[in-house]
Amino acid sequence: MTRPDDPSRRRFLGRSLLAGSALLLGGCERVTRSDAMQTLFDASGALTQKAHRLLASQESMAREYPPEDIAPEFRANGTTDPTSADYRRLAANAFNDWQLRVDGLVEHAGRFSLAALRDMPARTQITRHDCVEGWSCIGQWTGVPLGDLLDRVGVRDTARFVVFHCADHRYGGGDPYYESLDLREAYHPQTLLAYDLNGATLPIANGAPLRLRAERQLGYKMAKYVMRLELVESFDHIGRGRGGFWEDRGYNWWAGI
């Protein structure tokens, strides 16, 4: 008998519900932005989130794998080399001058160098990345648990979401990439700000110097090239107000698996 919190059951339900949205989208930039279609996407996302959280506890963990399952090369997709002058300058100096900015609804806004993040307690996990395009890849990630960093800056009671502002612009467009998580997912023990992949420094193609790993979410939530964390109560002032680059173009904000 399948238990209510069985991981395979959660994955099946989540993927089944997300599949409808993916089929309707048909392509990342070919979404029909009519009010009727957007209402349908919103309803699908709300149903997926409610079903997932009905079946999964707050502490449920994504599956972790043994070292022999690690892919020889972790697949890179989307932007693989941001073109902005600021990013190229930072990369040319091995990100020694890079700093993560943390602000918004926090008690102590601050900046953290890569060295400072590496000095914090780290977590290593071997997990599977599931892309909405239909492929998966297993890799080993090491980084700072996001919840530990949030505790350092002090999250205000009015904050509901963490927004990840990134250095890349998809397909050369003018809109910078961004993503978001609610605080429940941000504080999950497998949600990391990762700086290492497969025992080595995170490559640029995979998001250097820092990328998000939220292991209970689909791949488009895992923002690369993270430059800033902003704690917010709503998304009204960011992008098109839907909580992420692809969400602004019709994807569901909730991508739990």
Side-chain angles (χ1 to χ4, degrees):
M1 181 176 179
T2 303
R3 294 182 292 108
D5 62 346
D6 181 69
S8 62
R9 182 182 178 188
R10 292 198 303 272
R11 286 194 297 271
F12 173 78
L13 177 61
R15 287 177 180 170
S16 298
L17 291 169
L18 283 163
S21 298
L23 289 172
L24 286 168
L25 288 171
C28 296
E29 291 289 3
R30 298 195 296 273
V31 178
T32 301
R33 294 189 58 79
S34 68
D35 291 342
M37 288 298 289
Q38 194 60 65
T39 299
L40 178 60
F41 295 145
D42 291 346
S44 174
L47 175 61
T48 303
Q49 181 176 0
K50 288 178 180 178
H52 182 276
R53 287 190 165 166
L54 178 65
L55 296 174
S57 72
Q58 184 170 351
E59 296 78 20
S60 64
M61 303 286 278
R63 179 180 175 185
E64 298 191 19
Y65 295 79
E68 56 266 27
D69 287 344
I70 295 173
E73 180 179 357
F74 194 89
R75 178 172 175 174
N77 72 321
T79 301
T80 57
D81 190 9
T83 59
S84 75
D86 285 344
Y87 182 85
R88 289 191 176 277
R89 175 183 57 80
L90 292 166
N93 193 33
F95 300 106
N96 288 318
D97 299 326
W98 173 90
Q99 290 185 322
L100 175 67
R101 177 180 165 191
V102 186
D103 59 16
L105 297 176
V106 298
E107 298 297 337
H108 310 288
R111 295 177 181 266
F112 298 83
S113 68
L114 195 55
L117 293 176
R118 286 183 174 275
D119 283 342
M120 293 178 61
R123 175 183 170 88
T124 296
Q125 56 200 27
I126 301 174
T127 53
R128 188 178 69 191
H129 181 102
D130 291 317
C131 182
V132 73
E133 296 171 355
W135 58 268
S136 298
C137 196
I138 294 174
Q140 176 181 283
W141 304 94
T142 299
V144 179
L146 176 56
D148 291 354
L149 184 62
L150 295 179
D151 284 342
R152 291 204 176 200
V153 298
V155 177
R156 295 183 181 174
D157 291 342
T158 51
R160 296 178 57 209
F161 306 99
V162 184
V163 178
F164 306 85
H165 297 277
C166 305
D168 55 324
H169 293 67
R170 294 298 275 243
Y171 309 122
D175 293 338
Y177 198 86
Y178 79 101
E179 254 306 336
S180 63
L181 296 175
D182 62 17
L183 289 181
R184 176 174 175 176
E185 207 66 25
Y187 273 97
H188 188 269
Q190 289 176 309
T191 300
L192 305 182
L193 297 173
Y195 44 69
D196 283 351
L197 170 60
N198 294 343
T201 300
L202 184 66
I204 285 178
N206 298 109
L210 198 71
R211 73 169 295 165
L212 173 64
R213 294 301 306 175
E215 304 298 353
R216 303 196 300 180
Q217 301 281 305
L218 283 170
Y220 68 85
K221 299 293 288 187
M222 315 242 192
K224 301 193 294 186
Y225 315 112
V226 177
M227 305 294 287
R228 176 189 174 204
L229 307 185
E230 182 184 9
L231 277 291
V232 301
E233 186 174 6
S234 76
F235 307 129
D236 291 347
H237 64 294
I238 303 170
R240 300 175 190 174
R242 305 195 62 81
F245 179 91
W246 289 122
E247 290 88 331
D248 285 343
R249 288 153 179 81
Y251 272 42
N252 291 330
W253 176 80
W254 175 253
I257 54 176

